[in-house]
Amino acid sequence: MHESSLARPIPGPSRRTMLRGIGGAAALGAGIPLLSACGGSDTSADPKTVTLGSNASDAVPKKAFAEIYAAFKKQSGITVDVNTKDHNTFQEQINSYLQGTPDDVFHWFAGYRMQFFANKGLATPIDDVWKTIGGNFPDAMKKLSQGEDGKFYFVPLYTYPWALFYRKSVFKEKGYEVPTTWSDFIALCKQMKKDGLVPIAFGDKDAWPALGTFDQINFRTNGYDFHVELMAGKASWTDKRVRAAFDNWAEILPYHQDGAVGRTWQDAAQTLVSKKAGMYLLGTFVGQQFTDKADLDDLDFFAFPEIDPAYGQDTVEAPTDGYMLSKSPKNKSGAVKLLEFLGTPEAEQIYLKADPNVVAASTKADTSSYSPLQKKAYEMINGAKSLTQYMDRDSRPDFTSTVMQPALQKFIRDPKGVDSLLSSIERQKKTIFASS
Amino acid sequence: MSTDINAKSSEAAAVPLPSGRPPENKRVPQGHRRLLTRRDRVTLAFMAGVPTVLHVALVWFTALASIALAFTTWDGIGFDSIKWVGLDNFKELFSTNPQFWPAVEHNIVWFVVLILIPTPLGLFLAVQLDKKIRFSRVYQTAFFLPVVMSLAVIGFVWQLVYNPDTGLINSVIGANKPGHYIDWIGDPDLNLWAVLVAASWRHAGYMMILYLAGLKGVDPSLREASSLDGANEWQTFKNVIFPTLRPTNTIVLVVTIIEALRAFDLVWVFNGGAQGTELLSILVTDNIVGESSRIGYGSAIAVVLLLISLVVIIPYLVSTFRKERQA
């Protein structure tokens, strides 16, 4: 049967469709360069336009950013052409994005992750911008915006501290006091457990919340400098100071919520909302889970308690988001103007009005419209001697995501195996940090 | 223009009939020569050439490039940062990576479970449905439904079922309180099995369809003959039906091996390949996707996965080709 149908001459219509198909494919082929040309250098020559790559794909920040750029246009006459990508996609593609034809200015994170791309020559130093905006920022922010070569590469916009969150009403009802020392903290955990509460809500399904917990315990136990050394791959994970931090963690681990590895941070936050948990260690964005106004007003926080009096509570974990200038911006003078504008208190205030879950990086920003929670967060950051950036922003992201995240999940499940875990981390760290 | 060629060829085809000179016009070669005009040849070259170029560039080049990259370290930034490290990546993989051996083991467990549980179940369902019982189409649709859905969607659905705090199972059996708490997603002794239930749920429907198709090909006279010989249902199945399903079984085996090796999406959305659910495909993704990636190391894992696939695929292809040559 098959043979006979092959021998038959190809009927007209099918040949025609075939040719049409080829025509279509050719048109498609021709279309590809056209499309890529659109995304490329068309708008580059225009001195009245600055392009900006944005990872602010959520509705609230997207709108807040748009308002900043509208204000900038009003002031300078320069249009900001925003190219928004999905938050996670932006992060995954940042490598090839910066090596290709990136936008003039792009969103990024302060600290090690900024330095990584600065070291690779994928960003332009902006010391001249900092001559103008330097007075607006505290020293801790300046330190966060510098590359390893001492030049500035980053303009911070907003930040948010990590702290222990709790419900004022619960503390009042049960007569709890905010603990400031390690022993007070453990006593409080014990009391909460006795009262039928989960002392510390915990969800580590996404694998990053445990990184934040480790950071807090580590810099309270060993200080800021050790945190930096450890994150930079210089200190050893088999050091007895690391072991001490893990011992402290193991001490409070029984007071954490059961089954953390299977729970998202959002679900863990719900146990605080429903008053089943007494405390929760997270960034201020935990407020997003408090959808009821009365609940949100009841939310408060305190700094992670002191462990070693030598370091007190002087370090605050405060991830900072902001902007960088790409390696060869097409409209450099316009981009510099934009960055100078973004470093002003006005720009930050526009942002904060629309997104009240974070606080301004600048000390000059007007705090009068802040909520009590924002004010407290602001004071906490302002009073800090050192700011850390949260483990995956203070260290190599490949190290934190492929080694630390699974390792800490393992520790949470089995705190007794810490010694072999630490030597395994150290072995893997050596090869990763040696690779480039 | 195409109508032009069209007219010619249809003319050629149309001429013989009325003219009534069968012997000469029956000659096929002439028709063949006419069939391939210059344009046709260009067209065919284009049709064969474009896919070949695409195939070489997208399949062979990338495969060979990742094999080459497996012996280097590269962070993906600029080609000058590629450094040759020989077998270091593999050494590290086999000795220091705590996730590698569990991942290999889980891929194997995945295969063993799929072949032992959903595959016989699919066969059982197919045999039952093949009896043309009432509402057979309804059952068929119900069992096949999971196969239509993307594995990622299945992952989301089962995640809701397994959620330790608010999920269906823990809420029903009351295992979401402190003290007696079952962490389906986080517990490394449980989560792989939890995911495998979801994977089996889908795989059974897939196998059912394959076997159903196989059963349609079984000659009804065979059944008749066996029932005339007085065989009962089980004997008929064991001695007559199952042996005729041999080609289907081969396909099922290959499909199941492929499913086990490419297992990824379900676990990725379920818990991102955390403790207990590591898979080779997830390790590859973890190392390659991201802002400062370890492309060399990730490629080394991919090469291991490739080698395992080859061990499975080559014997299959060899036996298939041998059969074809015999036929």
Side-chain angles (χ1 to χ4, degrees), chain B residues 204-286:
Chain B
Y206 192 4
M207 294 300 104
M208 179 196 76
I209 286 293
L210 289 182
Y211 277 120
L212 216 46
L215 287 170
K216 299 277 181 233
V218 175
D219 194 342
S221 60
L222 282 176
R223 288 172 202 269
E224 220 169 288
S226 73
S227 69
L228 282 176
D229 284 347
N232 64 23
E233 204 166 333
W234 169 244
Q235 284 169 326
T236 311
F237 175 76
K238 201 181 85 179
N239 299 322
V240 179
I241 311 286
F242 193 70
T244 58
L245 286 176
R246 221 187 114 110
T248 314
N249 281 329
T250 317
I251 294 170
V252 161
L253 185 69
V254 171
V255 163
T256 308
I257 291 170
I258 292 171
E259 287 281 314
L261 286 174
R262 73 171 186 190
F264 171 74
D265 14 21
L266 191 60
V267 171
W268 187 254
V269 301
F270 189 75
N271 66 0
Q275 297 288 306
T277 54
E278 296 96 339
L279 291 169
L280 285 172
S281 54
I282 284 179
L283 294 191
V284 174
T285 314
D286 272 344

Side-chain angles (χ1 to χ4, degrees), chain B residues 7 11 19 31 34 36 65 70 97 138 141 145 152 162 166 183 226 237 253 265 269 298 312:
Chain B
E11 192 186 339
S19 69
R34 282 255 180 122
L36 287 177
N97 189 326
V138 177
T141 314
L145 207 59
Y162 283 125
T166 54
D183 188 2
S226 73
F237 175 76
L253 185 69
D265 14 21
V269 301
V312 177

Side-chain angles (χ1 to χ4, degrees), chain A residues 69-189:
Chain A
Y69 307 139
F72 175 65
K73 190 179 181 186
K74 209 184 256 174
Q75 186 222 46
S76 65
I78 298 173
T79 310
V80 180
D81 185 5
V82 188
N83 164 21
T84 306
K85 261 188 227 159
D86 168 68
H87 195 89
N88 289 330
T89 315
F90 187 87
Q91 231 146 294
E92 278 159 15
Q93 297 175 346
I94 184 84
N95 252 343
S96 47
Y97 168 72
L98 291 180
Q99 291 181 77
T101 47
D103 301 294
D104 298 348
V105 176
F106 62 96
H107 274 195
W108 200 233
F109 312 115
Y112 195 100
R113 281 157 99 172
M114 169 271 291
Q115 293 177 343
F116 180 82
F117 291 114
N119 286 348
K120 295 276 174 190
L122 294 173
T124 308
I126 46 168
D127 288 1
D128 40 346
V129 172
W130 272 84
K131 274 185 197 128
T132 321
I133 64 171
N136 297 335
F137 293 97
D139 282 346
M141 279 293 161
K142 279 182 194 158
K143 210 156 69 181
L144 279 181
S145 306
Q146 282 169 307
E148 280 176 352
D149 55 3
K151 289 181 182 151
F152 286 98
Y153 285 95
F154 185 79
V155 175
L157 186 73
Y158 61 78
T159 180
Y160 50 93
W162 275 55
L164 279 156
F165 288 81
Y166 68 96
R167 303 285 301 255
K168 281 184 273 192
S169 59
V170 172
F171 269 49
K172 204 173 159 193
E173 185 194 322
K174 312 255 180 188
Y176 300 148
E177 299 228 342
V178 166
T180 51
T181 65
W182 189 241
S183 54
D184 286 354
F185 182 56
I186 289 173
L188 177 63
C189 287

Side-chain angles (χ1 to χ4, degrees), chain B residues 75-126:
Chain B
D75 57 13
I77 298 177
F79 291 110
D80 49 347
S81 63
I82 303 180
K83 260 182 276 167
W84 186 261
V85 294
L87 289 170
D88 283 5
N89 285 332
F90 292 96
K91 273 185 214 148
E92 192 195 337
L93 196 57
F94 295 138
S95 62
T96 58
N97 189 326
Q99 292 167 295
F100 177 71
W101 290 113
V104 173
E105 192 191 313
H106 297 153
N107 271 99
I108 296 169
V109 168
W110 199 281
F111 169 71
V112 171
V113 168
L114 286 190
I115 208 78
L116 288 185
I117 296 164
T119 305
L121 185 65
L123 176 60
F124 175 77
L125 293 174

Side-chain angles (χ1 to χ4, degrees), chain A residues 99-422:
Chain A
Q99 291 181 77
T101 47
D103 301 294
D104 298 348
V105 176
F106 62 96
H107 274 195
W108 200 233
F109 312 115
Y112 195 100
R113 281 157 99 172
M114 169 271 291
Q115 293 177 343
F116 180 82
F117 291 114
N119 286 348
K120 295 276 174 190
L122 294 173
T124 308
I126 46 168
D127 288 1
D128 40 346
V129 172
W130 272 84
K131 274 185 197 128
T132 321
I133 64 171
N136 297 335
F137 293 97
D139 282 346
M141 279 293 161
K142 279 182 194 158
K143 210 156 69 181
L144 279 181
S145 306
Q146 282 169 307
E148 280 176 352
D149 55 3
K151 289 181 182 151
F152 286 98
Y153 285 95
F154 185 79
V155 175
L157 186 73
Y158 61 78
T159 180
Y160 50 93
W162 275 55
L164 279 156
F165 288 81
Y166 68 96
R167 303 285 301 255
K168 281 184 273 192
S169 59
V170 172
F171 269 49
K172 204 173 159 193
E173 185 194 322
K174 312 255 180 188
Y176 300 148
E177 299 228 342
V178 166
T180 51
T181 65
W182 189 241
S183 54
D184 286 354
F185 182 56
I186 289 173
L188 177 63
C189 287
K190 277 189 183 142
Q191 186 58 43
M192 283 181 171
K193 203 166 188 177
K194 215 181 275 171
D195 294 342
L197 285 170
V198 172
I200 307 169
F202 195 25
D204 196 40
K205 187 169 175 218
D206 301 311
W208 51 260
L211 303 181
T213 308
F214 173 76
D215 283 351
Q216 301 283 338
I217 297 172
N218 182 39
F219 56 63
R220 289 280 185 267
T221 311
N222 301 309
Y224 172 77
D225 293 336
F226 184 71
H227 165 86
V228 174
E229 267 177 60
L230 187 65
M231 292 300 118
K234 286 170 191 146
S236 164
W237 283 84
T238 49
D239 191 302
K240 64 179 192 304
R241 285 175 286 181
V242 178
R243 178 64 211 254
F246 274 97
D247 285 346
N248 285 332
W249 194 356
E251 196 178 350
I252 56 166
L253 208 52
Y255 304 111
H256 281 71
Q257 197 170 1
D258 267 357
V261 181
R263 185 183 299 108
T264 61
W265 71 265
Q266 289 94 336
D267 283 344
Q270 285 308 318
T271 51
L272 188 68
V273 175
S274 61
K275 299 187 181 182
K276 282 180 193 142
M279 300 175 276
Y280 189 21
L281 176 66
L282 209 73
T284 49
F285 53 86
V286 71
Q288 291 167 8
Q289 293 295 311
F290 287 69
T291 42
D292 189 83
K293 178 84 172 54
D295 284 340
L296 188 60
D297 289 341
D298 193 32
L299 184 69
D300 202 352
F301 65 85
F302 56 89
F304 197 84
E306 168 189 306
I307 295 177
D308 184 336
Y311 309 113
Q313 291 177 307
D314 65 359
T315 304
V316 172
E317 182 126 284
T320 306
D321 294 357
Y323 298 89
M324 289 176 80
L325 185 61
S326 63
K327 62 176 190 294
S328 47
K330 279 154 200 141
N331 181 1
K332 196 179 172 189
S333 64
V336 165
K337 272 187 205 139
L338 174 63
L339 289 170
E340 282 171 354
F341 178 76
L342 292 168
T344 61
E346 293 83 53
E348 308 202 8
Q349 272 154 235
I350 296 170
Y351 185 85
L352 292 170
K353 209 182 264 175
D355 183 7
N357 287 308
V358 292
V359 296
S362 162
T363 38
K364 294 268 174 70
D366 176 23
T367 55
S368 59
S369 61
Y370 275 10
S371 69
L373 222 56
Q374 267 176 307
K375 272 193 187 125
K376 204 169 171 182
Y378 176 78
E379 276 157 26
M380 194 165 150
I381 287 171
N382 229 5
K385 202 172 132 207
S386 322
L387 296 178
T388 60
Q389 279 298 291
Y390 183 73
M391 187 188 286
D392 77 346
R393 299 188 187 187
D394 266 348
S395 188
R396 290 177 64 117
D398 49 0
F399 169 66
T400 54
S401 65
T402 62
V403 179
M404 287 315 293
Q405 292 190 348
L408 293 187
Q409 282 189 334
K410 196 165 185 189
F411 171 76
I412 294 164
R413 289 209 42 83
D414 174 27
K416 288 198 183 70
V418 66
D419 280 322
S420 69
L421 188 69
L422 289 178

